[in-house]
């Protein structure tokens, strides 16, 4: 298990970069959000946010999302934050191997046995292959080779295509080179939101021998092609058995006790095949062991998990105290597994 922790220089470089790019206006905007939710004075919140960012590695949005205004110092110290996560990524995800996760085509080639779906590469001269693929599946997902937070992901229906040569040409012009079969999700996920394939974010660390599950979040969509927040999605944290710990929430101040479309009570959600998913992640983590710290996106299908993508910049999903009543985060699990 790594024991050298987080270096001083990566942290200093990160803080210097943040200082150069600080948007004072956004700090005050977030401080007003905190005022409206927690009744704190804006000047006091601004000072606390800046102090937390400079000395405690807390991102401004982390401060808002994880309700730091209502937590004491000991409680705050248990929360993972994006600056700390970024430092872990830089230290434990070897740069020469990051391209397997940056490039979606390379990812699919490397992790083919875990995808549980057909896919193809759109290239010059294969319009006929594209037509056959799309007609056979009826609906397809198109992705740019690089993108995050759901950007560059679209859904197309064969019935809407009138000119296949033009459709093929348009995909190439927009850089939508990766075409995939739509995954079928488990009935328990479809019961919450059938119009979106709802993914599970599993943040994990592979220490060279064992894969440690650090945090698990269940994301839910709103019928769009992606369950990301930019598409109206939200999430809830899951416990060690795969059960929801609370209602759902996002980074825009929305709380969903029930799914707004299906009416499903979010805190009653139980992820099916949880143990199978954990074993699945352990196998996937060994494919590119040089990328140790990963946020894996998985869909639980009728017969087992399917891998959507892996994020070497894992991001952070945490408990929200004002929604869950849980005033501690997952940082102790990260420390135990990684040793920082």
């Amino acid at each position: 298990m790594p024991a050298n922790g987080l270096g001083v220089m990566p942290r200093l470089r990160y803080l210097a970069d943040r200082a150069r790019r600080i948007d004072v206006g956004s700090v005050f905007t977030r401080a007003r959000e905190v005022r409206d939710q927690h009744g704190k004075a804006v000047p006091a919140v601004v000072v606390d946010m800046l102090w937390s960012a400079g000395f405690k590695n807390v991102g401004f949005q982390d401060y808002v999302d994880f309700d730091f205004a209502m937590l004491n110092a000991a409680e705050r110290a248990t929360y993972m934050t994006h600056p700390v996560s970024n430092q872990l990524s830089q230290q434990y995800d070897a740069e020469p191997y990051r391209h397997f996760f940056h490039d979606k085509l390379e990812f699919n080639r490397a992790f083919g046995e875990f995808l549980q779906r057909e896919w193809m590469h759109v290239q010059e001269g294969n319009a006929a292959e594209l037509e056959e693929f799309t007609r056979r599946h009826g609906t397809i997902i198109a992705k740019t080779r690089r993108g995050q937070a759901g950007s560059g992901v679209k859904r197309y229906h064969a019935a809407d295509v009138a000119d296949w040569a033009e459709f093929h040409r348009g995909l190439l012009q927009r850089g939508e080179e990766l075409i995939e079969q739509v995954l079928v999700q488990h009935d328990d996920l479809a019961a919450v939101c059938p119009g979106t394939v709802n993914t599970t974010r599993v943040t994990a660390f592979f220490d060279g021998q064992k894969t440690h599950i650090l945090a698990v979040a269940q994301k839910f969509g709103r019928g769009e092609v992606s369950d990301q927040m930019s598409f109206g999605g939200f999430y809830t944290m899951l416990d060690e058995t795969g059960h929801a710990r609370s209602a759902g929430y996002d980074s825009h101040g929305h709380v969903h006790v029930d799914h707004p479309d299906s009416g499903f009570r979010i805190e009653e959600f139980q992820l099916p095949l949880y143990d199978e998913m954990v074993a699945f992640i352990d196998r996937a983590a060994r494919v590119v062991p040089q990328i140790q710290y990963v946020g894996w996106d998985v869909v639980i299908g009728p017969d087992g998990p399917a891998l959507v993508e892996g994020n070497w910049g894992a991001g952070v999903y945490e408990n929200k105290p004002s929604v869950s009543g849980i005033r501690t985060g997952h940082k102790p699990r990260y420390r135990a597994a990684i040793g920082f």
Side-chain angles (χ1 to χ4, degrees):
M1 177 185 299
N4 56 330
L6 297 175
V8 173
M9 290 309 297
R11 180 179 179 183
L12 291 177
R13 284 195 296 269
Y14 179 83
L15 289 174
D17 182 60
R18 285 296 302 274
R20 286 193 299 270
R21 295 185 297 109
I22 189 170
D23 182 344
V24 176
S26 73
V27 175
F28 277 89
T29 297
R30 290 180 171 94
R32 286 189 287 270
E33 291 180 40
V34 174
R35 174 201 61 194
D36 294 343
Q37 183 173 2
H38 298 286
K40 304 287 186 177
V42 168
V45 173
V46 169
V47 170
D48 195 24
M49 288 178 71
L50 292 173
W51 184 87
S52 297
F55 296 97
K56 295 297 181 178
N57 264 338
V58 178
F60 298 139
Q61 194 62 44
D62 295 331
Y63 188 101
V64 178
D65 288 346
F66 308 147
D67 296 327
F68 270 36
M70 64 182 288
L71 301 179
N72 60 38
E75 292 166 340
R76 292 181 179 189
T78 68
Y79 274 78
M80 268 302 295
T81 63
H82 282 84
V84 175
S85 181
N86 177 71
Q87 293 167 51
L88 292 174
S89 297
Q90 295 298 328
Q91 181 159 343
Y92 292 108
D93 294 336
E95 188 170 3
Y97 297 89
R98 294 175 188 172
H99 62 93
F100 288 111
F101 295 80
H102 272 312
D103 188 311
K104 290 180 169 56
L105 278 172
E106 290 198 48
F107 182 86
N108 277 21
R109 291 176 181 131
F111 291 90
E113 65 178 292
F114 298 92
L115 301 180
Q116 307 300 318
R117 62 192 180 277
E118 291 186 58
W119 62 279
M120 67 168 287
H121 180 195
V122 178
Q123 306 174 78
E124 292 291 346
N126 68 349
E129 181 185 350
L130 171 66
E131 179 179 358
E132 188 279 330
F133 185 98
T134 307
R135 287 188 183 278
R136 179 157 48 86
H137 292 293
T139 300
I140 59 169
I141 301 298
K143 300 178 180 179
T144 56
R145 295 182 66 160
R146 294 172 181 264
Q148 58 183 357
S151 65
V153 179
K154 294 182 182 178
R155 183 164 49 194
Y156 295 104
H157 307 285
D160 296 333
V161 180
D163 185 327
W164 289 97
E166 177 60 30
F167 180 57
H168 179 267
R169 186 160 46 250
L171 291 176
L172 287 176
Q173 290 173 348
R174 293 187 296 273
E176 297 166 11
E177 297 181 46
L178 177 59
I179 301 299
E180 295 182 340
Q181 172 188 5
V182 178
L183 281 166
V184 176
Q185 62 188 340
H186 195 283
D187 287 345
D188 291 355
L189 286 160
V192 185
C193 178
T196 301
V197 176
N198 304 285
T199 60
T200 307
R201 167 59 66 91
V202 184
T203 306
F205 181 80
F206 180 60
D207 67 13
Q209 295 182 319
K210 178 182 178 181
T211 302
H212 303 265
I213 304 300
L214 307 176
V216 182
Q218 180 59 49
K219 296 184 279 186
F220 296 110
R222 296 293 311 279
E224 300 294 331
V225 67
S226 171
D227 56 15
Q228 295 286 353
M229 294 183 199
S230 55
F231 288 83
F234 58 93
Y235 73 95
T236 184
M237 300 306 296
L238 304 183
D239 64 19
E240 291 79 2
T241 70
H243 194 81
R245 304 192 75 175
S246 72
Y249 43 89
D250 61 20
S251 290
H252 307 295
H254 304 124
V255 176
H256 299 291
V257 175
D258 303 322
H259 192 283
D261 303 317
S262 68
F264 189 98
R265 182 60 58 97
I266 300 301
E267 67 180 1
E268 295 178 358
F269 177 77
Q270 172 67 50
L271 185 70
L273 305 175
Y274 183 83
D275 291 340
E276 289 88 336
M277 182 191 71
V278 171
F280 178 84
I281 292 297
D282 178 62
R283 295 194 300 274
R286 298 169 189 273
V287 175
V288 186
Q290 297 84 359
I291 302 296
Q292 299 175 259
Y293 176 57
V294 180
W296 302 98
D297 283 334
V298 179
V299 170
I300 303 301
D303 302 313
L307 189 58
V308 176
E309 65 180 10
N311 302 272
W312 76 266
V316 176
Y317 292 78
E318 268 288 11
N319 298 313
K320 187 173 182 64
S322 63
V323 177
S324 66
I326 301 170
R327 300 174 68 97
T328 54
H330 292 77
K331 196 172 186 177
R333 295 175 65 110
Y334 286 68
R335 287 188 181 279
I338 304 174
F340 65 94

